[in-house]
Amino acid sequence: MTRTTWGLRRARRTPALSGTVDAAALAAAITAAAGPGTGPVRYEGLRVTGALDLRHRRLDARLALVGCVFEEPVDLTGLAVPALDLSGSTLQALRADGITVDGELRLAEARVGDGDARPRPMTDPSDSATGARAPRRLQEGAATGAVQLADARIGGNLVLDQLTVADGGAWSLLAPRLTVGGSLHARELTASGSLYVRDARVTYAVNLHAADVGGIDATGLVCSGGFYADWGFRSSGQVLLRAAEIGGVVTFHDAVLAEPAGSLLLGRLRVPRLRLDLREPPAGRVVLQDAAVDVLVDSETTWPAPGRLSLEGFAYQRLETGHPVEVRSRIDWLTRDPRIGAGAFEQLARSYESGGDERAARSVRHARERHLHRHDRLSGRLWGAVQDVLFGYGYAPRRALVWLLSLVAAGSLWFAHHPPRPVGADRRAWDPVLYSLDLLVPFGGLGYRGSWDPAGASKLVALVLVAAGWTLATAVVAGARRVLGRG
C-alpha cells in the first residue's frame, strides 16, 4: 500500500498493510515509517485486531488512520505527533491523555463505542430526577471516558464534527485542562454521555452546532472566540459554564434543553454577549447568579418556569429581544426567581435608564418596593399597602394629587349641603372647598378650620379628612426620602 500526499509533500512507500492486521504489527509499521525526514503516514480501511498501543512515543510524521475499525481500545497516552487523523474510524475507546499534537486532531465522522447512542443526562447529584448522575468534580484517577484527552495539547483544531460516542459511561469526552490552539469543532456531535472540559483553554471558538449530548461541564473554560451551542443543539442534562471566561459570544440560540434535566448553570460567567433565545422553554433551571455580560439577548417565550430562574447578582448593560417585551413582563421575569433581592430590580432599572426609558425604570423601582414589603412583618405590609395605594411608594406621584383632589371634592360636596356653624364674631365667608382643603393640609392653614365648628356626622367627616391629610402627608414624605435615597 502506498502512502498518499498530505499537504504538498511527496508520497513515499510505506509497509504494505491492508485488510485485517494485528495491532502490534501496525504499531511497528507506523513507528518505522514515521521517522525523521519522512512524509505523512496514512492507512485507510484497515481492521485492527488487538489493542493499538502508541503510548509515550514520538512520531516525526503526520499520522492518518482513516476509516479503520479497531476491535479494542486505542491507547495514545503521551503520544507526540505533528498531526493525527482518525476520521471515519470505529473505535471501542480512545485513551489519549497527555497527547501532544502540533497541528490538527481529527475524529470527524468517527464512532466510539458499540452501545446505545441515546444521551444519558447529567443531573445534579442532589436532584431526585431519574437519569444518570455524575459528580460535579471528578476523581480523575477513577473516572473514565470513551474519549480521554486529559491534559492534551493540540496546536491546531480539534475536529469532532459528526462524531458519535455510544457507550454506557457517564462521560463521552473526558478532557480536563485540554488546550486547543485553534478551535474545538463538534458540530452534529452525538454523545450518549456528557462532555467534561473543565478548565480547558481554547484559543478561538467552541462550535457545538446541532450537537446532541447528555450534558456539558465546561466550568472554568477560557475561550477567546465564542461558545456556540445553537441551531438545534440539544442537551438532556446540565450545561455548566460556571466561572468561564468567553470572548465574543455565548449563544444557545435555537437550542433545546430537554427532559429530564436540561438546564443552564452560568454562575460567574464572563462574556460580552449572551444569547438565551432557546427553541422552547428549558426543562430545568437557568442560573445566572453573579454572571456579568454586556448584552443579554433572550426571548420571553422561552423563559424558564417560575422557581427555576436565578438572577441575583447578574450584571448586564443592555437587554435585547427579537420582539418587544413590556416592562411588566420583564418584572415577571425577575420574580420568577423566588430568592430575588432589591439588587436585581435596581439592575433592571439601570438598564432601562441607560436606554433613556425613565418611565420603565420608575415602574421597576415601584415593583421593587412592592416586592420588599411583601416579605415584611404584618405592620410593615400594612403600611406598605397604604403607601402603594396612596402614591405608589413615591414612584407614582400623580396618584397622591388624585387622592388629594378626590378628598377635597368629597369634603366640599358634603359640607356644601351640611355647613357647620360659625365660631366667633370675626368669621370668614363660608367656602366648602377651602374649608375641606384646610382640613386636609396638616401644615400651616388657611384659617377656615378654626372659624367653623362641625357637629354630628359633619364632625366625623372632618376627622376623616384630617386623618387622611396626615396619612397622605406622612406617606409622601416617606416616599420622597426613599426615592431620593435609593433612586
Side-chain angles (χ1 to χ4, degrees):
M1 172 178 181
T2 61
R3 181 175 46 195
T4 61
T5 302
W6 194 339
L8 299 177
R9 296 189 182 184
R10 184 178 59 187
R12 300 184 181 182
R13 301 288 298 179
T14 60
L17 296 175
S18 62
T20 301
V21 300
D22 180 69
L26 177 59
I30 291 171
T31 303
T38 61
V41 177
R42 180 183 177 96
Y43 292 101
E44 189 170 352
L46 300 179
R47 186 174 191 88
V48 182
T49 60
L52 178 62
D53 187 350
L54 293 174
R55 288 178 296 171
H56 304 294
R57 302 194 189 188
R58 180 170 187 84
L59 304 180
D60 295 309
R62 301 180 181 184
L63 175 62
L65 299 170
V66 178
C68 298
V69 177
F70 298 89
E71 296 184 351
E72 296 188 29
V74 175
D75 196 341
L76 307 180
T77 303
L79 174 68
V81 62
L84 178 62
D85 189 355
L86 296 170
S87 297
S89 294
T90 300
L91 306 90
Q92 292 299 308
L94 176 62
R95 308 283 184 256
D97 294 337
I99 191 172
T100 301
V101 182
D102 298 333
E104 199 168 70
L105 172 55
R106 298 183 62 87
L107 277 164
E109 302 181 33
R111 182 181 179 90
V112 180
D114 56 2
D116 191 345
R118 288 179 297 181
R120 295 162 50 88
M122 178 178 70
T123 62
D124 190 316
S126 62
D127 192 352
S128 60
T130 59
R133 298 185 185 183
R136 289 289 179 84
R137 184 173 289 276
L138 298 180
Q139 296 180 355
E140 293 183 21
T144 60
V147 178
Q148 294 188 188
L149 291 169
D151 299 298
R153 300 289 183 270
I154 300 168
N157 296 326
L158 173 58
V159 182
L160 308 178
D161 292 341
Q162 299 181 47
L163 168 67
T164 299
V165 182
D167 76 333
W171 302 106
S172 292
L173 173 64
L174 189 59
R177 299 173 300 281
L178 168 70
T179 299
V180 178
S183 295
L184 195 167
H185 297 291
R187 291 165 289 210
E188 299 182 50
L189 164 74
T190 300
S192 59
S194 302
L195 313 182
Y196 189 88
V197 287
R198 185 184 285 258
D199 299 320
R201 300 291 184 269
V202 179
T203 300
Y204 297 111
V206 175
N207 297 309
L208 292 161
H209 309 297
D212 189 354
V213 300
I216 301 174
D217 188 344
T219 299
L221 171 69
V222 176
C223 175
S224 62
F227 186 94
Y228 300 88
D230 53 1
W231 295 112
F233 170 83
R234 182 183 180 88
S235 174
S236 58
Q238 294 181 327
V239 176
L240 286 77
L241 274 172
R242 295 179 302 177
E245 297 182 9
I246 312 294
V249 63
V250 170
T251 174
F252 293 92
H253 171 68
D254 193 45
V256 178
L257 301 173
E259 294 286 354
S263 55
L264 287 176
L265 306 183
L266 309 180
R268 305 191 307 281
L269 170 68
R270 300 291 184 268
V271 65
R273 188 176 182 87
L274 174 62
R275 291 197 65 168
L276 297 180
D277 46 346
L278 309 173
R279 181 181 296 180
E280 59 189 42
R285 297 184 300 153
V286 174
V287 177
L288 294 166
Q289 187 172 355
D290 298 323
V293 306
D294 293 336
V295 181
L296 171 66
V297 182
D298 63 355
S299 172
E300 183 179 358
T301 60
T302 62
W303 287 344
R308 294 185 175 181
L309 181 64
S310 179
L311 292 170
E312 190 63 28
F314 178 41
Y316 50 89
Q317 301 298 320
R318 192 169 76 253
L319 297 170
E320 292 184 4
T321 56
H323 301 282
V325 176
E326 296 291 335
V327 64
R328 291 183 179 179
S329 297
R330 193 55 83 174
I331 292 170
D332 171 67
W333 174 67
L334 290 183
T335 56
R336 293 185 182 211
D337 181 354
R339 296 180 296 178
I340 201 69
F345 286 90
E346 187 60 28
Q347 170 68 71
L348 180 59
R350 287 197 300 267
S351 73
Y352 278 119
E353 283 181 334
S354 65
D357 194 343
E358 294 289 343
R359 179 176 295 180
R362 288 196 302 270
S363 297
V364 173
R365 292 191 171 109
H366 184 185
R368 175 192 63 191
E369 297 302 327
R370 283 179 172 173
H371 179 78
L372 292 176
H373 281 85
R374 192 175 297 128
H375 301 285
D376 280 349
R377 290 177 297 181
L378 178 60
S379 59
R381 292 199 301 272
L382 292 175
W383 177 233
V386 169
Q387 294 182 81
D388 193 10
V389 169
L390 291 180
F391 73 124
Y393 298 102
Y395 296 105
R398 278 182 279 186
R399 192 180 298 176
L401 179 61
V402 171
W403 275 107
L404 178 63
L405 295 177
S406 299
L407 289 170
V408 169
S412 301
L413 184 63
W414 174 265
F415 289 117
H417 294 86
H418 305 82
R421 64 183 181 85
V423 176
D426 184 17
R427 59 179 182 271
R428 299 172 182 267
W430 170 244
D431 189 323
V433 175
L434 293 179
Y435 181 70
S436 300
L437 184 61
D438 201 9
L439 291 173
L440 277 167
V441 177
F443 307 107
L446 302 177
Y448 281 82
R449 188 185 309 177
S451 300
W452 306 92
D453 184 18
S458 294
K459 184 177 287 291
L460 178 61
V461 172
L463 290 174
V464 169
L465 289 177
V466 170
W470 276 103
T471 303
L472 184 60
T474 305
V476 168
V477 171
R481 291 179 60 187
R482 182 184 303 107
V483 171
L484 293 174
R486 293 184 179 179

